[in-house]
Amino acid sequence: MDGRDGMRASDSDRTAVADRLRVALNEGRLDLHEYDERLQRAYAARTYAELDGLLTDLPPVASVERSALSPLTPAALPSVGDRPAPVARGVTARWLAEVWLPYLKVIAIVVTIWAVTSLLSQDLLYFWPAWVAGPWGAVLAVQTVTGLAGGEPRRQAVKRQRKRAKRKPPTTNPENPPPTP
């Protein structure tokens, strides 16, 4: 082991390998068990040789031009110069609505039930809806913070656009129209 293979790897090298393994998992090249195993080995690796050994059977990441995937339209991935633009306000608002609206609807229902039963009993009853609102709200707050920090609104918008693109009927060539029955 001489040269680069014997050199010590840095944390950023380990993170880069972990990112490549995640891409391979998302592409379906690794199953979850193998991904987890390789990820543990990546963070335990000391040298470049150990890191390189985790990627030898994986193809390199294809550039957008060489990829077999259909490119996204510029509307789905806005950019400013060479950098992606911040997530559009509408995309973030839609994601937040998807996360929080079910919670708000259920809380409105349980508070209404509590209010009606308090009115019918002519006494202010124990506010039990807090047991529904509190824990669920705390989980949603954590989900919101981690989702916004991790770019979840943008991922959801890209996913929605890909689904829409798959549902669109293929365009026909005007010179070669489909046969009429």
Side-chain angles (χ1 to χ4, degrees):
M1 283 211 295
D2 33 308
R4 181 184 176 277
D5 287 348
M7 295 175 101
R8 290 233 177 217
S10 69
D11 287 340
S12 62
D13 297 324
R14 290 180 197 89
T15 303
V17 170
D19 289 343
R20 178 60 190 108
L21 291 172
R22 182 185 44 76
V23 168
L25 174 69
N26 291 340
E27 292 173 342
R29 298 181 192 281
L30 297 175
D31 63 22
L32 194 54
H33 177 71
E34 188 175 12
Y35 166 74
D36 184 49
E37 186 178 288
R38 287 188 189 202
L39 189 63
Q40 288 176 12
R41 287 177 36 209
Y43 283 113
R46 292 185 186 146
T47 63
Y48 284 112
E50 292 173 10
L51 288 176
D52 291 342
L54 299 172
L55 303 176
T56 55
D57 63 339
L58 298 174
V61 177
S63 66
V64 175
E65 295 83 26
R66 292 181 30 217
S67 176
L69 297 174
S70 61
L72 296 173
T73 62
L77 296 172
S79 63
V80 177
D82 294 337
R83 296 176 297 131
V87 177
R89 183 169 286 164
V91 170
T92 303
R94 181 175 178 168
W95 180 78
L96 286 171
E98 289 173 357
V99 171
W100 284 92
L101 277 180
Y103 169 80
L104 295 174
K105 289 176 184 178
V106 169
I107 297 307
I109 291 169
V110 296
V111 168
T112 301
I113 291 170
W114 170 82
V116 168
T117 55
S118 290
L119 283 173
L120 290 176
S121 69
Q122 297 177 349
D123 190 20
L124 195 58
L125 299 176
Y126 174 74
F127 190 70
W128 57 266
W131 289 102
V132 176
W136 190 6
V139 168
L140 286 179
V142 169
Q143 180 183 357
T144 300
V145 169
T146 57
L148 289 173
E152 190 61 30
R154 176 182 224 141
R155 270 195 295 278
Q156 291 292 331
V158 169
K159 237 187 243 184
R160 272 193 298 278
Q161 181 173 8
R162 284 189 177 150
K163 282 184 181 177
R164 264 189 254 121
K166 284 182 183 177
R167 275 189 254 136
K168 278 187 182 177
T171 57
T172 58
N173 185 351
E175 295 173 6
N176 190 10
T180 55

